[in-house]
Amino acid sequence: MRIALVGNQNSGKTTLFNLLTGSNQKVGNWPGVTIERKIGTLKGSDVEVVDLPGIYSLSPYTAEEEVSRHFVFEEKPDLIVNIIDATSLERSLYLTTQLLELDVKVVIALNMTDMLLKKGLTVDVQKLSERLHTTVVEISALKRTGIDALIKTLVEGPVLDNPHQAIFSKEVEQEIALLHEHIETPHERFVAVKLLENDPMFLGLKPIEAKDAIQRLETHFGLDMEQTIASQRYDFITEVKQYAVVAKPVAPSMTDRLDKIILNKYLALPIFGVIMFLVYFLSVGLVGSWTVDLISGSVESLSTWFGGLLETWGASAWAVSLVTNGIIAGVGAVLNFIPQLFILFLCISILETTGYMSRIAFFLDRL
Ligand code: GDP
Ligand code: MG
C-alpha cells in the first residue's frame, strides 16, 4: 500500500511525514527536477508514505504541480492524505476540491488545530467531513496530537468514500456529466473538469464534445471557463466554510492597539515629531550635552592632576604640555562623543526592534 502526502507549502507536510515515518526515510530528487523527494514507511507497518512537493492546485503551472500531478496520475497511490491548515481553510480547500475529483481515496488531516483558539476559530470536524464526503482527522503535527487517530484512519481507510459530489453550478455539472461518456481514462471527473478548463495536458484526448461544451458555457457565463471553474470552486469553499467554521472576534492584541494610535492618520506625524525630538534631546540635546560636560570636566581635572604630578617629577614644560594638551586633551576630545553616540544608537535600536521604524517608514513612504 502506498500513501501520498499532499498539501500547500507550509501546511506541515514535512513535520507530519517525520512523525509518521520516524527514521525510516529515503531522501532523493524527483526524476528530472531538483525537487526533493522523500519516501518512508509508516511506523509499525509496511505502508509506504511519499511526501509530495507543496502545491496550491493541480494545474501544471509550476514544476511542483507537475510532479505532484504526475505522481497521482501515473503512480496512482492507494490513498491521499491531504494535509490542510485549519487556520486558513479558504486557501487550503482549493486544492482539496481538486483532489476529491480524482479516483483516489482522500483522508483530510486538519493540521494546526493548536492555533485555532488563538485565532478565535472553531472548526466543526463533523460538518466539514459531511460536506466534503470524506474523513477529516484533527491533528497538530507540531504538538503531536491526533496522530494515532490519523494512523488508525490511514490503515483502515476513510469511513466515508468520496462519491465525486457535485460542487459546480448545474450548467457546469450537466456538461461534466455529458463529457463523462466520452472519456475513457481513469479520474473521469477530474479529466472532464480539466477539459472544460482547456488544460493543455489533456489537449491530446480532447474530444470535439469538449469544445462545444466550452462554447456553450462561455456564452452562458460570459467568462472564460478557467475563471468560471475557479470562481465556482471558491463559491463551494465559501459555503463549506460558513457551514463548518465559527469565527469569534478575538480581543485586539497590545500591538494592534498601539498601532491604532501611532499610525493614526492625524496623530502619526506629531508622534513621529515628538519621538525624533526625544531622540535628539537624549543624544545631542540636554542629556547629551550634560554627558559632554561631565566627560570634558573629568578630562580637565585628570589633565591638571597629571600635569601637576609630572611637574613634581621634574618634567620639562614641553613634556608636560605634550602629555596634558596633546595626549590627554586629544583622547578626551574623542571620548566626548562616545556617550552621545551610545545614547543615539541605543535609541535607534529600540525604535528598530520594536518595529516602529518600519511602520513609520511605510507611513511616510507616500510623502
Ligand atoms: P511543509 O512546507 O508543508 O513541509 O511544512 P513544514 O512541516 O515544514 O511546516 C511548516 C511550519 O509550520 C514549521 O515551522 C512547523 O513547525 C509549523 N507547523 C507544522 N505543523 C504545525 C502545527 O500543527 N501547529 C503549529 N502551530 N505549527 C505547525
Ligand atoms: Mg516540506
Side-chain angles (χ1 to χ4, degrees):
M1 183 171 164
R2 178 146 53 166
I3 295 176
L5 224 56
V6 187
N8 295 166
Q9 273 158 38
N10 287 320
S11 58
K13 265 181 323 92
T14 303
T15 314
L16 178 63
F17 179 82
N18 291 340
L19 282 182
L20 293 179
T21 61
S23 55
N24 312 315
Q25 297 184 5
K26 270 189 303 199
V27 182
N29 271 351
W30 292 93
V33 280
T34 49
I35 296 172
E36 192 178 79
R37 170 189 173 123
K38 275 173 137 180
I39 299 182
T41 41
L42 191 63
K43 271 190 257 179
S45 74
D46 55 1
V47 177
E48 196 173 64
V49 186
V50 184
D51 186 13
L52 289 181
I55 51 169
Y56 292 98
S57 87
L58 285 178
S59 312
Y61 293 130
T62 63
E64 284 82 3
E65 287 169 351
E66 282 279 12
V67 165
S68 301
R69 187 154 112 166
H70 184 268
F71 186 83
V72 288
F73 258 75
E74 307 303 324
E75 312 205 14
K76 272 202 107 187
D78 302 280
L79 181 69
I80 287 174
V81 180
N82 177 208
I83 174 163
I84 65 182
D85 178 350
T87 63
S88 62
L89 271 190
E90 203 137 351
R91 196 184 50 197
S92 320
L93 287 180
Y94 191 79
L95 177 65
T96 308
T97 58
Q98 293 189 328
L99 294 173
L100 291 172
E101 282 161 0
L102 297 164
D103 290 346
V104 184
K105 287 182 192 161
V106 178
V107 168
I108 292 170
L110 187 69
N111 194 29
M112 313 265 180
T113 48
D114 57 303
M115 299 283 285
L116 284 174
L117 204 62
K118 220 168 156 187
K119 304 222 166 174
L121 297 168
T122 327
V123 180
D124 188 325
V125 179
Q126 216 56 46
K127 285 183 171 175
L128 195 60
S129 153
E130 187 189 310
R131 288 304 276 119
L132 297 174
H133 285 268
T134 192
T135 308
V136 178
V137 186
E138 269 180 289
I139 65 162
S140 164
L142 191 72
K143 301 266 154 60
R144 305 182 174 206
T145 56
I147 305 301
D148 291 339
L150 179 65
I151 293 180
K152 192 162 169 273
T153 311
L154 300 187
V155 175
E156 290 171 1
V159 177
L160 296 166
D161 221 353
N162 78 75
H164 295 156
Q165 60 162 331
I167 68 163
F168 301 112
S169 68
K170 75 173 189 307
E171 295 84 2
V172 176
E173 290 294 344
Q174 240 164 29
E175 299 290 0
I176 291 174
L178 282 178
L179 280 178
H180 265 284
E181 295 166 23
H182 304 280
I183 296 167
E184 259 114 54
T185 60
H187 309 296
E188 263 187 16
R189 182 175 165 86
F190 183 84
V191 174
V193 175
K194 285 292 160 193
L195 281 175
L196 289 181
E197 281 183 315
N198 262 320
D199 188 314
M201 188 178 144
F202 299 97
L203 279 181
L205 51 96
K206 183 171 170 176
I208 188 78
E209 286 78 6
K211 219 173 145 194
D212 295 343
I214 291 172
Q215 207 152 45
R216 282 193 293 269
L217 291 171
E218 288 189 345
T219 329
H220 184 271
F221 290 108
L223 281 176
D224 80 69
M225 274 314 286
E226 212 178 336
Q227 279 175 296
T228 304
I229 296 276
S231 100
Q232 294 194 1
R233 263 191 217 289
Y234 276 118
D235 291 345
F236 172 74
I237 291 166
T238 309
E239 191 239 308
V240 172
K241 215 179 129 188
Q242 273 168 2
Y243 183 62
V245 180
V246 184
K248 278 190 304 253
V250 279
S253 65
M254 178 80 150
T255 308
D256 291 336
R257 275 178 289 175
L258 277 177
D259 277 353
K260 265 221 175 93
I261 301 169
I262 61 166
L263 293 178
N264 177 284
K265 209 160 39 163
Y266 304 106
L267 288 179
L269 275 181
I271 291 178
F272 178 63
V274 168
I275 289 178
M276 286 302 109
F277 173 77
L278 266 177
V279 171
Y280 180 84
F281 178 78
L282 288 175
S283 59
V284 185
L286 214 63
V287 178
S289 56
W290 175 74
T291 64
V292 171
D293 292 346
L294 187 75
I295 294 214
S296 54
S298 333
V299 168
E300 234 171 76
S301 340
L302 177 75
S303 143
T304 321
W305 171 77
F306 201 65
L309 195 68
L310 286 178
E311 268 167 25
T312 56
W313 288 345
S316 63
W318 71 265
V320 173
S321 170
L322 175 74
V323 173
T324 56
N325 298 329
I327 299 172
I328 296 181
V331 172
V334 175
L335 278 183
N336 267 343
F337 294 108
I338 290 190
Q340 284 190 321
L341 288 176
F342 179 78
I343 297 171
L344 179 65
F345 280 92
L346 186 71
C347 291
I348 293 177
S349 12
I350 291 173
L351 291 180
E352 271 180 354
T353 48
T354 52
Y356 182 74
M357 283 291 216
S358 40
R359 280 173 170 76
I360 204 67
F362 182 76
F363 186 85
L364 292 177
D365 189 49
R366 250 202 352 228
L367 195 73

